[in-house]
Amino acid sequence: PSQFSASAFRPHASHLSPYAAMLRRSLRLLGFFENQFSKPGPMRQSHKRRGLMYTWAVFSFPTLLVLIGNHPDVQMWFIRQYKPCEYPPQSDPRIIYDIFNGRQAQRSSLE
């Protein structure tokens, strides 16, 4: 009867090789593969933090921009600040375009 019990099919530490038992015990100690043989130095910790901050920013900033930028007060502030390019009535952009391209201007700004 004991040979058919459920415990007979489970591997015990005594059935495993010593290396497998060591790996099973040390998986919790490895923690992303940083152990006594691979301790992170200051540069690796800095790279890890910068990578985490970059990932957080890539996913968070668009959401924050939408939440803040779609607020009606923010949009009204932008509309008040925005000024389109205005040409004075005596300046014709075609005159500047002709002079820039080395052609004789057909009109004068004095007209």
Side-chain angles (χ1 to χ4, degrees), residues 6-21:
S7 64
F9 297 107
R10 275 186 283 163
H12 294 287
S14 61
H15 297 289
L16 300 174
S17 70
Y19 296 111

mmCIF file with all atom_site columns, all heavy atoms in Angstrom, residues 6-21:
data_model
loop_
_atom_site.group_PDB
_atom_site.id
_atom_site.type_symbol
_atom_site.label_atom_id
_atom_site.label_alt_id
_atom_site.label_comp_id
_atom_site.label_asym_id
_atom_site.label_entity_id
_atom_site.label_seq_id
_atom_site.pdbx_PDB_ins_code
_atom_site.Cartn_x
_atom_site.Cartn_y
_atom_site.Cartn_z
_atom_site.occupancy
_atom_site.B_iso_or_equiv
_atom_site.pdbx_formal_charge
_atom_site.auth_seq_id
_atom_site.auth_comp_id
_atom_site.auth_asym_id
_atom_site.auth_atom_id
_atom_site.pdbx_PDB_model_num
ATOM 1   N N   . ALA A 1 6  ? 0.631  8.813  -2.792 1.00 0.00 ? 6  ALA A N   1
ATOM 2   C CA  . ALA A 1 6  ? 0.999  9.987  -3.589 1.00 0.00 ? 6  ALA A CA  1
ATOM 3   C C   . ALA A 1 6  ? 2.419  10.435 -3.279 1.00 0.00 ? 6  ALA A C   1
ATOM 4   O O   . ALA A 1 6  ? 3.093  10.997 -4.139 1.00 0.00 ? 6  ALA A O   1
ATOM 5   C CB  . ALA A 1 6  ? 0.018  11.121 -3.312 1.00 0.00 ? 6  ALA A CB  1
ATOM 6   N N   . SER A 1 7  ? 2.872  10.176 -2.068 1.00 0.00 ? 7  SER A N   1
ATOM 7   C CA  . SER A 1 7  ? 4.221  10.617 -1.723 1.00 0.00 ? 7  SER A CA  1
ATOM 8   C C   . SER A 1 7  ? 5.282  9.812  -2.462 1.00 0.00 ? 7  SER A C   1
ATOM 9   O O   . SER A 1 7  ? 6.418  10.250 -2.576 1.00 0.00 ? 7  SER A O   1
ATOM 10  C CB  . SER A 1 7  ? 4.436  10.528 -0.216 1.00 0.00 ? 7  SER A CB  1
ATOM 11  O OG  . SER A 1 7  ? 4.356  9.182  0.193  1.00 0.00 ? 7  SER A OG  1
ATOM 12  N N   . ALA A 1 8  ? 4.914  8.680  -2.987 1.00 0.00 ? 8  ALA A N   1
ATOM 13  C CA  . ALA A 1 8  ? 5.886  7.874  -3.710 1.00 0.00 ? 8  ALA A CA  1
ATOM 14  C C   . ALA A 1 8  ? 6.238  8.517  -5.051 1.00 0.00 ? 8  ALA A C   1
ATOM 15  O O   . ALA A 1 8  ? 7.303  8.265  -5.601 1.00 0.00 ? 8  ALA A O   1
ATOM 16  C CB  . ALA A 1 8  ? 5.342  6.462  -3.934 1.00 0.00 ? 8  ALA A CB  1
ATOM 17  N N   . PHE A 1 9  ? 5.346  9.340  -5.591 1.00 0.00 ? 9  PHE A N   1
ATOM 18  C CA  . PHE A 1 9  ? 5.586  9.952  -6.895 1.00 0.00 ? 9  PHE A CA  1
ATOM 19  C C   . PHE A 1 9  ? 6.232  11.330 -6.800 1.00 0.00 ? 9  PHE A C   1
ATOM 20  O O   . PHE A 1 9  ? 6.615  11.902 -7.800 1.00 0.00 ? 9  PHE A O   1
ATOM 21  C CB  . PHE A 1 9  ? 4.263  10.053 -7.667 1.00 0.00 ? 9  PHE A CB  1
ATOM 22  C CG  . PHE A 1 9  ? 3.668  8.711  -7.959 1.00 0.00 ? 9  PHE A CG  1
ATOM 23  C CD1 . PHE A 1 9  ? 2.553  8.277  -7.264 1.00 0.00 ? 9  PHE A CD1 1
ATOM 24  C CD2 . PHE A 1 9  ? 4.237  7.882  -8.893 1.00 0.00 ? 9  PHE A CD2 1
ATOM 25  C CE1 . PHE A 1 9  ? 2.007  7.047  -7.520 1.00 0.00 ? 9  PHE A CE1 1
ATOM 26  C CE2 . PHE A 1 9  ? 3.692  6.647  -9.159 1.00 0.00 ? 9  PHE A CE2 1
ATOM 27  C CZ  . PHE A 1 9  ? 2.572  6.211  -8.468 1.00 0.00 ? 9  PHE A CZ  1
ATOM 28  N N   . ARG A 1 10 ? 6.315  11.887 -5.589 1.00 0.00 ? 10 ARG A N   1
ATOM 29  C CA  . ARG A 1 10 ? 6.939  13.194 -5.416 1.00 0.00 ? 10 ARG A CA  1
ATOM 30  C C   . ARG A 1 10 ? 8.437  13.025 -5.217 1.00 0.00 ? 10 ARG A C   1
ATOM 31  O O   . ARG A 1 10 ? 8.863  12.177 -4.437 1.00 0.00 ? 10 ARG A O   1
ATOM 32  C CB  . ARG A 1 10 ? 6.359  13.921 -4.204 1.00 0.00 ? 10 ARG A CB  1
ATOM 33  C CG  . ARG A 1 10 ? 5.098  14.678 -4.551 1.00 0.00 ? 10 ARG A CG  1
ATOM 34  C CD  . ARG A 1 10 ? 4.651  15.490 -3.394 1.00 0.00 ? 10 ARG A CD  1
ATOM 35  N NE  . ARG A 1 10 ? 4.014  14.548 -2.468 1.00 0.00 ? 10 ARG A NE  1
ATOM 36  C CZ  . ARG A 1 10 ? 3.763  14.776 -1.188 1.00 0.00 ? 10 ARG A CZ  1
ATOM 37  N NH1 . ARG A 1 10 ? 4.089  15.910 -0.666 1.00 0.00 ? 10 ARG A NH1 1
ATOM 38  N NH2 . ARG A 1 10 ? 3.187  13.885 -0.435 1.00 0.00 ? 10 ARG A NH2 1
ATOM 39  N N   . PRO A 1 11 ? 9.242  13.826 -5.902 1.00 0.00 ? 11 PRO A N   1
ATOM 40  C CA  . PRO A 1 11 ? 10.691 13.708 -5.676 1.00 0.00 ? 11 PRO A CA  1
ATOM 41  C C   . PRO A 1 11 ? 11.064 14.337 -4.334 1.00 0.00 ? 11 PRO A C   1
ATOM 42  O O   . PRO A 1 11 ? 10.623 15.432 -4.010 1.00 0.00 ? 11 PRO A O   1
ATOM 43  C CB  . PRO A 1 11 ? 11.294 14.490 -6.841 1.00 0.00 ? 11 PRO A CB  1
ATOM 44  C CG  . PRO A 1 11 ? 10.217 15.418 -7.274 1.00 0.00 ? 11 PRO A CG  1
ATOM 45  C CD  . PRO A 1 11 ? 8.915  14.768 -6.939 1.00 0.00 ? 11 PRO A CD  1
ATOM 46  N N   . HIS A 1 12 ? 11.808 13.625 -3.585 1.00 0.00 ? 12 HIS A N   1
ATOM 47  C CA  . HIS A 1 12 ? 12.295 14.133 -2.307 1.00 0.00 ? 12 HIS A CA  1
ATOM 48  C C   . HIS A 1 12 ? 13.726 14.607 -2.479 1.00 0.00 ? 12 HIS A C   1
ATOM 49  O O   . HIS A 1 12 ? 14.391 14.287 -3.458 1.00 0.00 ? 12 HIS A O   1
ATOM 50  C CB  . HIS A 1 12 ? 12.251 13.033 -1.233 1.00 0.00 ? 12 HIS A CB  1
ATOM 51  C CG  . HIS A 1 12 ? 10.849 12.610 -0.908 1.00 0.00 ? 12 HIS A CG  1
ATOM 52  N ND1 . HIS A 1 12 ? 9.985  13.389 -0.194 1.00 0.00 ? 12 HIS A ND1 1
ATOM 53  C CD2 . HIS A 1 12 ? 10.168 11.471 -1.223 1.00 0.00 ? 12 HIS A CD2 1
ATOM 54  C CE1 . HIS A 1 12 ? 8.834  12.767 -0.067 1.00 0.00 ? 12 HIS A CE1 1
ATOM 55  N NE2 . HIS A 1 12 ? 8.911  11.599 -0.694 1.00 0.00 ? 12 HIS A NE2 1
ATOM 56  N N   . ALA A 1 13 ? 14.182 15.394 -1.518 1.00 0.00 ? 13 ALA A N   1
ATOM 57  C CA  . ALA A 1 13 ? 15.550 15.904 -1.581 1.00 0.00 ? 13 ALA A CA  1
ATOM 58  C C   . ALA A 1 13 ? 16.554 14.759 -1.589 1.00 0.00 ? 13 ALA A C   1
ATOM 59  O O   . ALA A 1 13 ? 17.622 14.868 -2.157 1.00 0.00 ? 13 ALA A O   1
ATOM 60  C CB  . ALA A 1 13 ? 15.812 16.840 -0.415 1.00 0.00 ? 13 ALA A CB  1
ATOM 61  N N   . SER A 1 14 ? 16.183 13.641 -0.973 1.00 0.00 ? 14 SER A N   1
ATOM 62  C CA  . SER A 1 14 ? 17.110 12.510 -0.939 1.00 0.00 ? 14 SER A CA  1
ATOM 63  C C   . SER A 1 14 ? 17.211 11.847 -2.309 1.00 0.00 ? 14 SER A C   1
ATOM 64  O O   . SER A 1 14 ? 18.210 11.208 -2.602 1.00 0.00 ? 14 SER A O   1
ATOM 65  C CB  . SER A 1 14 ? 16.659 11.492 0.110  1.00 0.00 ? 14 SER A CB  1
ATOM 66  O OG  . SER A 1 14 ? 15.375 11.008 -0.246 1.00 0.00 ? 14 SER A OG  1
ATOM 67  N N   . HIS A 1 15 ? 16.180 11.982 -3.161 1.00 0.00 ? 15 HIS A N   1
ATOM 68  C CA  . HIS A 1 15 ? 16.208 11.378 -4.493 1.00 0.00 ? 15 HIS A CA  1
ATOM 69  C C   . HIS A 1 15 ? 16.982 12.236 -5.488 1.00 0.00 ? 15 HIS A C   1
ATOM 70  O O   . HIS A 1 15 ? 17.375 11.743 -6.537 1.00 0.00 ? 15 HIS A O   1
ATOM 71  C CB  . HIS A 1 15 ? 14.791 11.174 -5.028 1.00 0.00 ? 15 HIS A CB  1
ATOM 72  C CG  . HIS A 1 15 ? 13.983 10.226 -4.220 1.00 0.00 ? 15 HIS A CG  1
ATOM 73  N ND1 . HIS A 1 15 ? 14.225 8.871  -4.200 1.00 0.00 ? 15 HIS A ND1 1
ATOM 74  C CD2 . HIS A 1 15 ? 12.942 10.435 -3.379 1.00 0.00 ? 15 HIS A CD2 1
ATOM 75  C CE1 . HIS A 1 15 ? 13.359 8.279  -3.397 1.00 0.00 ? 15 HIS A CE1 1
ATOM 76  N NE2 . HIS A 1 15 ? 12.565 9.213  -2.876 1.00 0.00 ? 15 HIS A NE2 1
ATOM 77  N N   . LEU A 1 16 ? 17.169 13.515 -5.201 1.00 0.00 ? 16 LEU A N   1
ATOM 78  C CA  . LEU A 1 16 ? 17.831 14.414 -6.132 1.00 0.00 ? 16 LEU A CA  1
ATOM 79  C C   . LEU A 1 16 ? 19.331 14.411 -5.906 1.00 0.00 ? 16 LEU A C   1
ATOM 80  O O   . LEU A 1 16 ? 19.812 14.074 -4.817 1.00 0.00 ? 16 LEU A O   1
ATOM 81  C CB  . LEU A 1 16 ? 17.298 15.843 -5.956 1.00 0.00 ? 16 LEU A CB  1
ATOM 82  C CG  . LEU A 1 16 ? 15.807 16.033 -6.193 1.00 0.00 ? 16 LEU A CG  1
ATOM 83  C CD1 . LEU A 1 16 ? 15.410 17.448 -5.834 1.00 0.00 ? 16 LEU A CD1 1
ATOM 84  C CD2 . LEU A 1 16 ? 15.460 15.733 -7.633 1.00 0.00 ? 16 LEU A CD2 1
ATOM 85  N N   . SER A 1 17 ? 20.045 14.802 -6.937 1.00 0.00 ? 17 SER A N   1
ATOM 86  C CA  . SER A 1 17 ? 21.494 14.896 -6.781 1.00 0.00 ? 17 SER A CA  1
ATOM 87  C C   . SER A 1 17 ? 21.805 16.048 -5.831 1.00 0.00 ? 17 SER A C   1
ATOM 88  O O   . SER A 1 17 ? 20.989 16.948 -5.633 1.00 0.00 ? 17 SER A O   1
ATOM 89  C CB  . SER A 1 17 ? 22.150 15.126 -8.138 1.00 0.00 ? 17 SER A CB  1
ATOM 90  O OG  . SER A 1 17 ? 21.858 16.429 -8.591 1.00 0.00 ? 17 SER A OG  1
ATOM 91  N N   . PRO A 1 18 ? 22.973 16.100 -5.270 1.00 0.00 ? 18 PRO A N   1
ATOM 92  C CA  . PRO A 1 18 ? 23.305 17.199 -4.352 1.00 0.00 ? 18 PRO A CA  1
ATOM 93  C C   . PRO A 1 18 ? 23.281 18.555 -5.049 1.00 0.00 ? 18 PRO A C   1
ATOM 94  O O   . PRO A 1 18 ? 22.923 19.558 -4.453 1.00 0.00 ? 18 PRO A O   1
ATOM 95  C CB  . PRO A 1 18 ? 24.705 16.862 -3.849 1.00 0.00 ? 18 PRO A CB  1
ATOM 96  C CG  . PRO A 1 18 ? 25.145 15.635 -4.543 1.00 0.00 ? 18 PRO A CG  1
ATOM 97  C CD  . PRO A 1 18 ? 24.017 15.105 -5.346 1.00 0.00 ? 18 PRO A CD  1
ATOM 98  N N   . TYR A 1 19 ? 23.630 18.588 -6.342 1.00 0.00 ? 19 TYR A N   1
ATOM 99  C CA  . TYR A 1 19 ? 23.611 19.861 -7.062 1.00 0.00 ? 19 TYR A CA  1
ATOM 100 C C   . TYR A 1 19 ? 22.189 20.360 -7.277 1.00 0.00 ? 19 TYR A C   1
ATOM 101 O O   . TYR A 1 19 ? 21.905 21.544 -7.148 1.00 0.00 ? 19 TYR A O   1
ATOM 102 C CB  . TYR A 1 19 ? 24.324 19.721 -8.412 1.00 0.00 ? 19 TYR A CB  1
ATOM 103 C CG  . TYR A 1 19 ? 25.781 19.398 -8.256 1.00 0.00 ? 19 TYR A CG  1
ATOM 104 C CD1 . TYR A 1 19 ? 26.274 18.152 -8.616 1.00 0.00 ? 19 TYR A CD1 1
ATOM 105 C CD2 . TYR A 1 19 ? 26.657 20.330 -7.719 1.00 0.00 ? 19 TYR A CD2 1
ATOM 106 C CE1 . TYR A 1 19 ? 27.609 17.846 -8.459 1.00 0.00 ? 19 TYR A CE1 1
ATOM 107 C CE2 . TYR A 1 19 ? 27.997 20.030 -7.563 1.00 0.00 ? 19 TYR A CE2 1
ATOM 108 C CZ  . TYR A 1 19 ? 28.466 18.789 -7.929 1.00 0.00 ? 19 TYR A CZ  1
ATOM 109 O OH  . TYR A 1 19 ? 29.782 18.498 -7.765 1.00 0.00 ? 19 TYR A OH  1
ATOM 110 N N   . ALA A 1 20 ? 21.274 19.449 -7.598 1.00 0.00 ? 20 ALA A N   1
ATOM 111 C CA  . ALA A 1 20 ? 19.881 19.849 -7.790 1.00 0.00 ? 20 ALA A CA  1
ATOM 112 C C   . ALA A 1 20 ? 19.280 20.339 -6.482 1.00 0.00 ? 20 ALA A C   1
ATOM 113 O O   . ALA A 1 20 ? 18.531 21.319 -6.469 1.00 0.00 ? 20 ALA A O   1
ATOM 114 C CB  . ALA A 1 20 ? 19.071 18.681 -8.353 1.00 0.00 ? 20 ALA A CB  1
ATOM 115 N N   . ALA A 1 21 ? 19.605 19.681 -5.380 1.00 0.00 ? 21 ALA A N   1
ATOM 116 C CA  . ALA A 1 21 ? 19.088 20.121 -4.091 1.00 0.00 ? 21 ALA A CA  1
ATOM 117 C C   . ALA A 1 21 ? 19.644 21.502 -3.745 1.00 0.00 ? 21 ALA A C   1
ATOM 118 O O   . ALA A 1 21 ? 18.925 22.360 -3.224 1.00 0.00 ? 21 ALA A O   1
ATOM 119 C CB  . ALA A 1 21 ? 19.467 19.107 -3.013 1.00 0.00 ? 21 ALA A CB  1
#
